[in-house]
mmCIF file of all heavy atoms in Angstrom:
data_model
loop_
_atom_site.group_PDB
_atom_site.id
_atom_site.type_symbol
_atom_site.label_atom_id
_atom_site.label_comp_id
_atom_site.label_asym_id
_atom_site.label_seq_id
_atom_site.Cartn_x
_atom_site.Cartn_y
_atom_site.Cartn_z
ATOM 1 N N ASP A 42 88.495 76.927 123.374
ATOM 2 C CA ASP A 42 87.189 76.370 122.993
ATOM 3 C C ASP A 42 86.994 76.381 121.478
ATOM 4 O O ASP A 42 86.479 75.414 120.897
ATOM 5 C CB ASP A 42 86.061 77.174 123.654
ATOM 6 C CG ASP A 42 85.831 76.762 125.103
ATOM 7 O OD1 ASP A 42 86.392 75.734 125.525
ATOM 8 O OD2 ASP A 42 85.085 77.476 125.807
ATOM 9 N N ILE A 43 87.402 77.469 120.824
ATOM 10 C CA ILE A 43 87.244 77.553 119.373
ATOM 11 C C ILE A 43 88.085 76.491 118.672
ATOM 12 O O ILE A 43 87.621 75.814 117.749
ATOM 13 C CB ILE A 43 87.612 78.967 118.868
ATOM 14 C CG1 ILE A 43 86.563 79.985 119.330
ATOM 15 C CG2 ILE A 43 87.720 78.979 117.338
ATOM 16 C CD1 ILE A 43 86.908 81.428 118.983
ATOM 17 N N ILE A 44 89.329 76.317 119.122
ATOM 18 C CA ILE A 44 90.208 75.321 118.495
ATOM 19 C C ILE A 44 89.644 73.913 118.696
ATOM 20 O O ILE A 44 89.625 73.103 117.761
ATOM 21 C CB ILE A 44 91.639 75.422 119.046
ATOM 22 C CG1 ILE A 44 92.267 76.765 118.639
ATOM 23 C CG2 ILE A 44 92.498 74.266 118.541
ATOM 24 C CD1 ILE A 44 93.637 77.012 119.249
ATOM 25 N N CYS A 45 89.184 73.626 119.902
ATOM 26 C CA CYS A 45 88.601 72.306 120.156
ATOM 27 C C CYS A 45 87.416 72.053 119.238
ATOM 28 O O CYS A 45 87.276 70.959 118.664
ATOM 29 C CB CYS A 45 88.159 72.203 121.617
ATOM 30 S SG CYS A 45 89.520 72.059 122.803
ATOM 31 N N MET A 46 86.564 73.053 119.078
ATOM 32 C CA MET A 46 85.389 72.895 118.222
ATOM 33 C C MET A 46 85.782 72.779 116.750
ATOM 34 O O MET A 46 85.186 72.004 115.991
ATOM 35 C CB MET A 46 84.431 74.067 118.423
ATOM 36 C CG MET A 46 83.653 74.013 119.722
ATOM 37 S SD MET A 46 82.588 72.555 119.780
ATOM 38 C CE MET A 46 81.612 72.900 121.238
ATOM 39 N N ALA A 47 86.790 73.551 116.336
ATOM 40 C CA ALA A 47 87.240 73.473 114.937
ATOM 41 C C ALA A 47 87.824 72.109 114.627
ATOM 42 O O ALA A 47 87.755 71.639 113.484
ATOM 43 C CB ALA A 47 88.274 74.564 114.667
ATOM 44 N N ASN A 48 88.383 71.458 115.648
ATOM 45 C CA ASN A 48 88.972 70.126 115.486
ATOM 46 C C ASN A 48 88.020 69.018 115.936
ATOM 47 O O ASN A 48 88.452 67.937 116.336
ATOM 48 C CB ASN A 48 90.268 70.020 116.296
ATOM 49 C CG ASN A 48 91.413 70.800 115.668
ATOM 50 O OD1 ASN A 48 91.433 71.023 114.468
ATOM 51 N ND2 ASN A 48 92.363 71.221 116.491
ATOM 52 N N ASN A 49 86.710 69.276 115.869
ATOM 53 C CA ASN A 49 85.757 68.256 116.321
ATOM 54 C C ASN A 49 85.830 67.016 115.429
ATOM 55 O O ASN A 49 86.288 67.088 114.287
ATOM 56 C CB ASN A 49 84.337 68.825 116.393
ATOM 57 C CG ASN A 49 83.666 68.935 115.035
ATOM 58 O OD1 ASN A 49 83.320 67.943 114.400
ATOM 59 N ND2 ASN A 49 83.470 70.173 114.580
ATOM 60 N N ARG A 50 85.337 65.904 115.924
ATOM 61 C CA ARG A 50 85.469 64.630 115.226
ATOM 62 C C ARG A 50 84.197 64.192 114.507
ATOM 63 O O ARG A 50 84.114 63.062 114.032
ATOM 64 C CB ARG A 50 85.887 63.537 116.204
ATOM 65 C CG ARG A 50 87.323 63.677 116.686
ATOM 66 C CD ARG A 50 87.856 62.356 117.173
ATOM 67 N NE ARG A 50 87.370 61.242 116.339
ATOM 68 C CZ ARG A 50 88.030 60.108 116.165
ATOM 69 N NH1 ARG A 50 89.209 59.933 116.734
ATOM 70 N NH2 ARG A 50 87.531 59.143 115.436
ATOM 71 N N VAL A 51 83.208 65.065 114.412
ATOM 72 C CA VAL A 51 81.957 64.662 113.755
ATOM 73 C C VAL A 51 81.836 65.252 112.355
ATOM 74 O O VAL A 51 80.821 65.071 111.690
ATOM 75 C CB VAL A 51 80.724 65.026 114.606
ATOM 76 C CG1 VAL A 51 80.694 64.175 115.852
ATOM 77 C CG2 VAL A 51 80.708 66.505 114.950
ATOM 78 N N ASP A 52 82.873 65.972 111.914
ATOM 79 C CA ASP A 52 82.943 66.444 110.533
ATOM 80 C C ASP A 52 81.757 67.318 110.159
ATOM 81 O O ASP A 52 81.119 67.135 109.117
ATOM 82 C CB ASP A 52 83.039 65.242 109.577
ATOM 83 C CG ASP A 52 83.631 65.626 108.225
ATOM 84 O OD1 ASP A 52 84.236 66.704 108.133
ATOM 85 O OD2 ASP A 52 83.475 64.845 107.262
ATOM 86 N N LYS A 53 81.452 68.296 111.020
ATOM 87 C CA LYS A 53 80.362 69.224 110.717
ATOM 88 C C LYS A 53 80.595 70.537 111.459
ATOM 89 O O LYS A 53 81.462 70.626 112.333
ATOM 90 C CB LYS A 53 79.011 68.617 111.102
ATOM 91 C CG LYS A 53 78.837 68.331 112.583
ATOM 92 C CD LYS A 53 77.560 67.528 112.845
ATOM 93 C CE LYS A 53 76.321 68.273 112.415
ATOM 94 N NZ LYS A 53 75.071 67.510 112.678
ATOM 95 N N ASP A 54 79.817 71.564 111.091
ATOM 96 C CA ASP A 54 79.913 72.840 111.795
ATOM 97 C C ASP A 54 79.661 72.626 113.289
ATOM 98 O O ASP A 54 78.833 71.793 113.679
ATOM 99 C CB ASP A 54 78.873 73.827 111.267
ATOM 100 C CG ASP A 54 79.187 74.338 109.867
ATOM 101 O OD1 ASP A 54 80.272 74.012 109.347
ATOM 102 O OD2 ASP A 54 78.342 75.049 109.290
ATOM 103 N N ALA A 55 80.376 73.399 114.101
ATOM 104 C CA ALA A 55 80.210 73.309 115.556
ATOM 105 C C ALA A 55 79.650 74.616 116.087
ATOM 106 O O ALA A 55 79.789 75.674 115.458
ATOM 107 C CB ALA A 55 81.548 72.983 116.218
ATOM 108 N N TYR A 56 79.007 74.549 117.263
ATOM 109 C CA TYR A 56 78.349 75.724 117.840
ATOM 110 C C TYR A 56 78.789 75.940 119.284
ATOM 111 O O TYR A 56 78.788 75.010 120.087
ATOM 112 C CB TYR A 56 76.826 75.549 117.839
ATOM 113 C CG TYR A 56 76.222 75.192 116.504
ATOM 114 C CD1 TYR A 56 75.425 74.060 116.360
ATOM 115 C CD2 TYR A 56 76.428 75.989 115.379
ATOM 116 C CE1 TYR A 56 74.859 73.724 115.148
ATOM 117 C CE2 TYR A 56 75.866 75.667 114.160
ATOM 118 C CZ TYR A 56 75.087 74.530 114.047
ATOM 119 O OH TYR A 56 74.536 74.204 112.839
ATOM 120 N N ILE A 57 79.153 77.185 119.579
ATOM 121 C CA ILE A 57 79.252 77.624 120.967
ATOM 122 C C ILE A 57 78.077 78.574 121.163
ATOM 123 O O ILE A 57 77.997 79.626 120.506
ATOM 124 C CB ILE A 57 80.584 78.323 121.261
ATOM 125 C CG1 ILE A 57 81.759 77.372 120.977
ATOM 126 C CG2 ILE A 57 80.630 78.791 122.718
ATOM 127 C CD1 ILE A 57 83.128 78.007 121.162
ATOM 128 N N ILE A 58 77.169 78.210 122.041
ATOM 129 C CA ILE A 58 75.894 78.921 122.175
ATOM 130 C C ILE A 58 75.909 79.704 123.479
ATOM 131 O O ILE A 58 75.913 79.122 124.573
ATOM 132 C CB ILE A 58 74.721 77.924 122.134
ATOM 133 C CG1 ILE A 58 74.798 77.072 120.849
ATOM 134 C CG2 ILE A 58 73.385 78.662 122.200
ATOM 135 C CD1 ILE A 58 73.882 75.866 120.851
ATOM 136 N N PHE A 59 75.931 81.024 123.355
ATOM 137 C CA PHE A 59 76.012 81.911 124.522
ATOM 138 C C PHE A 59 74.610 82.368 124.931
ATOM 139 O O PHE A 59 73.801 82.769 124.087
ATOM 140 C CB PHE A 59 76.859 83.141 124.196
ATOM 141 C CG PHE A 59 78.270 82.830 123.783
ATOM 142 C CD1 PHE A 59 78.634 82.850 122.447
ATOM 143 C CD2 PHE A 59 79.240 82.523 124.725
ATOM 144 C CE1 PHE A 59 79.929 82.577 122.046
ATOM 145 C CE2 PHE A 59 80.543 82.241 124.338
ATOM 146 C CZ PHE A 59 80.890 82.266 122.996
ATOM 147 N N GLY A 60 74.366 82.330 126.243
ATOM 148 C CA GLY A 60 73.067 82.780 126.753
ATOM 149 C C GLY A 60 72.208 81.620 127.222
ATOM 150 O O GLY A 60 71.018 81.788 127.475
ATOM 151 N N ILE A 61 72.829 80.434 127.367
ATOM 152 C CA ILE A 61 72.127 79.243 127.836
ATOM 153 C C ILE A 61 72.873 78.700 129.057
ATOM 154 O O ILE A 61 74.093 78.487 129.001
ATOM 155 C CB ILE A 61 72.071 78.133 126.756
ATOM 156 C CG1 ILE A 61 71.537 78.679 125.427
ATOM 157 C CG2 ILE A 61 71.245 76.949 127.253
ATOM 158 C CD1 ILE A 61 70.096 79.108 125.463
ATOM 159 N N SER A 62 72.169 78.455 130.123
ATOM 160 C CA SER A 62 72.810 77.874 131.303
ATOM 161 C C SER A 62 73.275 76.463 130.978
ATOM 162 O O SER A 62 72.496 75.645 130.472
ATOM 163 C CB SER A 62 71.820 77.838 132.474
ATOM 164 O OG SER A 62 72.350 77.069 133.533
ATOM 165 N N ASP A 63 74.534 76.168 131.283
ATOM 166 C CA ASP A 63 75.052 74.833 130.988
ATOM 167 C C ASP A 63 74.759 73.850 132.122
ATOM 168 O O ASP A 63 75.227 72.710 132.100
ATOM 169 C CB ASP A 63 76.544 74.872 130.676
ATOM 170 C CG ASP A 63 77.370 75.472 131.796
ATOM 171 O OD1 ASP A 63 76.788 75.822 132.846
ATOM 172 O OD2 ASP A 63 78.596 75.598 131.628
ATOM 173 N N GLU A 64 73.993 74.305 133.109
ATOM 174 C CA GLU A 64 73.574 73.418 134.195
ATOM 175 C C GLU A 64 72.089 73.096 134.110
ATOM 176 O O GLU A 64 71.691 71.935 134.161
ATOM 177 C CB GLU A 64 73.905 74.055 135.550
ATOM 178 C CG GLU A 64 75.412 74.201 135.802
ATOM 179 C CD GLU A 64 75.708 74.774 137.168
ATOM 180 O OE1 GLU A 64 74.734 75.102 137.896
ATOM 181 O OE2 GLU A 64 76.897 74.899 137.520
ATOM 182 N N THR A 65 71.265 74.145 133.923
ATOM 183 C CA THR A 65 69.810 73.940 133.853
ATOM 184 C C THR A 65 69.298 73.949 132.414
ATOM 185 O O THR A 65 68.158 73.571 132.167
ATOM 186 C CB THR A 65 69.081 75.038 134.636
ATOM 187 O OG1 THR A 65 69.325 76.314 134.001
ATOM 188 C CG2 THR A 65 69.565 75.086 136.082
#
Side-chain angles (χ1 to χ4, degrees):
D42 279 349
I43 291 175
I44 294 175
C45 287
M46 285 297 189
N48 287 334
N49 78 70
R50 289 203 38 152
V51 292
D52 202 16
K53 63 189 299 181
D54 289 354
Y56 307 125
I57 300 177
I58 305 167
F59 301 101
I61 309 293
S62 170
D63 57 2
E64 294 183 357
T65 64

